[in-house]
Amino acid sequence: MKPVRFFTPENLQIVKRLVSRYPPGRERASLIPLLDLAQRQHGTWIPPSAMHEIANATNLSFEQVHSLVLAYPTSFQWRPCAPQLRICDSWMCCQKAKQRENGIYEAAQSLVSQYGVEVKTTECLGACYGAPAFWFNDKIHTDATKESIKQVISKEFSK
Ligand code: FES
């Protein structure tokens, strides 16, 4: 029986290129971009077939790939039932948010009832240069204020 392929031929080339950036035995270093590629191809989540293919490409077990999907705050093992908002609560973002007393956490919580958005905190989003930062709908937003969070979400719901 022919194995089911998840990645499109174009994305399979990207997978090979990403994995080849690392020496043998270090293929796992390409996991985050591979998971991102899989999630973008599939929409909003990463199906088991993608995790199997990534495991094969990186010489890891399915469980190792799956555990990273579970651990990483912006990757999903099933289709989220509500729009997802992640607020960074690592040191730099917390400090900046506190200094500015900008109320981003309170603003984010108000979106739960207003739009049904699921709000969670997350570790560093890698956007410390623009702290405080948040992630919504596959994009990182920097210099967050309560107004900017509400603006991003309401713009999304007005489409
Ligand atoms: S600490 Fe928030 S993005 Fe790095």
Side-chain angles (χ1 to χ4, degrees):
M1 194 164 112
K2 198 174 169 188
V4 178
R5 298 225 68 113
F6 169 76
F7 285 107
T8 62
E10 298 78 28
N11 283 347
L12 197 54
Q13 293 306 312
I14 296 173
V15 168
K16 288 177 183 168
R17 209 168 47 241
L18 285 169
V19 172
S20 72
R21 287 182 181 169
Y22 301 95
R26 301 281 183 177
E27 297 90 350
R28 69 174 52 204
S30 61
L31 268 178
I32 297 294
L34 291 175
L35 293 175
D36 182 61
L37 180 67
Q39 190 159 288
R40 285 175 193 278
Q41 178 181 312
H42 200 62
T44 54
W45 59 290
I46 304 167
S49 59
M51 290 186 239
H52 276 294
E53 207 165 325
I54 290 170
N56 287 338
T58 54
N59 296 319
L60 295 171
S61 67
F62 174 84
E63 290 76 16
Q64 288 171 306
V65 174
H66 183 243
S67 64
L68 191 68
V69 171
L70 293 181
Y72 209 64
T74 54
S75 61
F76 303 97
Q77 66 169 338
W78 52 70
R79 183 189 318 275
C81 49
Q84 302 290 307
L85 174 66
R86 299 289 181 267
I87 307 278
C88 176
D89 73 344
S90 287
W91 188 84
M92 182 65 84
C93 286
C94 283
Q95 291 305 310
K96 291 279 184 163
K98 239 189 253 169
Q99 279 171 10
R100 297 177 189 168
E101 294 178 5
N102 68 5
I104 56 170
Y105 301 100
E106 296 75 18
Q109 285 306 324
S110 75
L111 299 167
V112 174
S113 54
Q114 196 175 353
Y115 294 107
V117 172
E118 186 178 345
V119 178
K120 288 184 182 171
T121 55
T122 182
E123 294 301 315
C124 180
L125 288 165
C128 318
Y129 58 89
F134 68 98
W135 178 95
F136 180 72
N137 215 7
D138 210 23
K139 285 194 187 112
I140 293 175
H141 301 269
T142 56
D143 299 307
T145 61
K146 60 184 174 194
E147 290 79 23
S148 73
I149 289 185
K150 286 180 178 174
Q151 195 175 33
V152 166
I153 306 298
S154 63
K155 189 176 169 189
E156 179 66 25
F157 282 92
S158 68
K159 289 180 184 173

